[in-house]
């Protein structure tokens, strides 16, 4: 079953969660993977720059936070569950001047996820952070088209960037319940380009 949602619209995000829960009656795992990376030159006028900032926060952080809020409320009455939030290495090492909002939004996802793990563990709620670097996706291709393949691969410890399936495999492992005591943990999948 496919559901459509505008992650920039908080009302639509809340409705999306409610529709899924109504149809399936129970949710065991939520993976927040939606995201945008809007290029926004700091030399832009303030109005346009803040519009880019707010749109980035709406999709990357606010929608994630609302879905987590609703998941926590559901999990507290259903015996627990798992939240997996996709952040970014940019949350830890920063990004370029054109992507300040992206890095800040993903850093917010990190703080949100750690707080959920600490606050709700005894309710059976586990929360994990997956922090990829460049992954061979359409979003990464936009960076590569603009900055060049060398920009994306120069600082990799491995020969190539990961494929989406590698991220999916790791998320599946976290969703399996076989790593529950790693709740609150951050898992870097960035080909060794940022190690902390």
């Amino acid at each position: 079953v496919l559901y459509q949602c505008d992650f920039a619209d908080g009302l639509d995000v809340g409705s999306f969660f409610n529709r899924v829960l109504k149809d399936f009656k129970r949710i065991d795992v939520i993976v927040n993977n939606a995201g945008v990376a809007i290029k926004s030159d700091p030399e832009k006028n303030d109005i346009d720059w803040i519009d880019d900032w707010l749109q980035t926060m709406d999709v990357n952080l606010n929608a994630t936070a609302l879905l987590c809020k609703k998941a926590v409320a559901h999990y507290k009455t259903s015996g627990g569950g798992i939240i997996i939030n996709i952040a970014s290495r940019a949350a830890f090492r920063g990004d370029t001047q054109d992507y300040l909002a992206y890095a800040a939004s993903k850093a917010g996802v990190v703080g949100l996820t750690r707080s959920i793990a600490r606050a709700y563990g005894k309710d059976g709620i586990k929360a994990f952070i997956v922090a990829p670097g460049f992954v061979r996706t359409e979003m990464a291709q936009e960076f590569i088209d603009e900055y060049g393949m060398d920009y994306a691969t120069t600082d990799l410890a491995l020969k190539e960037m990961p494929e989406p399936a590698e991220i999916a495999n790791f998320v599946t492992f976290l969703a399996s319940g076989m790593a529950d005591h790693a709740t609150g943990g951050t898992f870097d999948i960035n080909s060794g380009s940022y190690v902390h």
Side-chain angles (χ1 to χ4, degrees):
V1 178
L2 297 177
Y3 297 85
Q4 192 168 8
C5 179
D6 179 358
F7 283 88
D9 180 341
L11 292 175
D12 200 24
V13 172
S15 173
F16 162 73
F17 185 93
N18 293 339
R19 289 193 315 267
V20 174
L21 185 57
K22 180 181 177 190
D23 288 352
F24 287 91
K25 310 299 185 234
R26 179 184 172 97
I27 296 172
D28 297 302
V29 177
I30 182 168
V31 180
N32 284 304
N33 186 44
V36 294
I38 299 171
K39 182 179 179 183
S40 190
D41 187 337
E43 299 298 320
K44 273 185 173 181
N45 70 67
D46 291 350
I47 299 294
D48 290 341
W49 186 84
I50 201 70
D51 282 347
D52 293 341
W53 178 278
L54 292 173
Q55 184 178 350
T56 301
M57 293 299 164
D58 280 343
V59 174
N60 292 2
L61 181 56
N62 297 341
T64 295
L66 181 56
L67 288 169
C68 286
K69 173 186 180 293
K70 295 183 82 60
V72 164
H74 171 62
Y75 290 163
K76 285 176 75 173
T77 64
S78 67
I82 294 172
I83 295 169
I84 303 166
N85 288 332
I86 309 301
S88 170
R89 70 178 179 186
F92 301 96
R93 74 172 207 170
D95 213 318
T96 67
Q97 70 273 10
D98 291 333
Y99 294 95
L100 298 176
Y102 179 77
S105 69
K106 292 301 188 175
V109 168
V110 171
L112 168 72
T113 312
R114 289 176 175 170
S115 298
I116 290 168
R118 289 179 48 80
Y120 297 106
K122 287 185 172 59
D123 294 301
I125 299 169
K126 284 74 68 176
F128 305 99
I129 302 153
V130 176
F134 279 115
V135 178
R136 195 171 298 283
T137 64
E138 289 179 19
M139 183 184 288
Q141 192 60 50
E142 292 174 20
F143 285 93
I144 292 166
D145 291 345
E146 182 170 352
Y147 296 102
M149 182 59 84
D150 284 347
Y151 177 82
T153 59
T154 295
D155 60 356
L156 301 185
L158 301 180
K159 291 181 180 179
E160 66 283 316
M161 67 181 70
E163 297 291 331
E166 187 171 348
I167 310 300
N169 290 339
F170 197 81
V171 167
T172 301
F173 170 66
L174 293 175
S176 73
M178 296 176 66
D180 284 355
H181 286 270
T183 188
T186 300
F187 301 93
D188 300 308
I189 307 177
N190 60 44
S191 307
S193 62
Y194 180 78
V195 181
H196 68 283

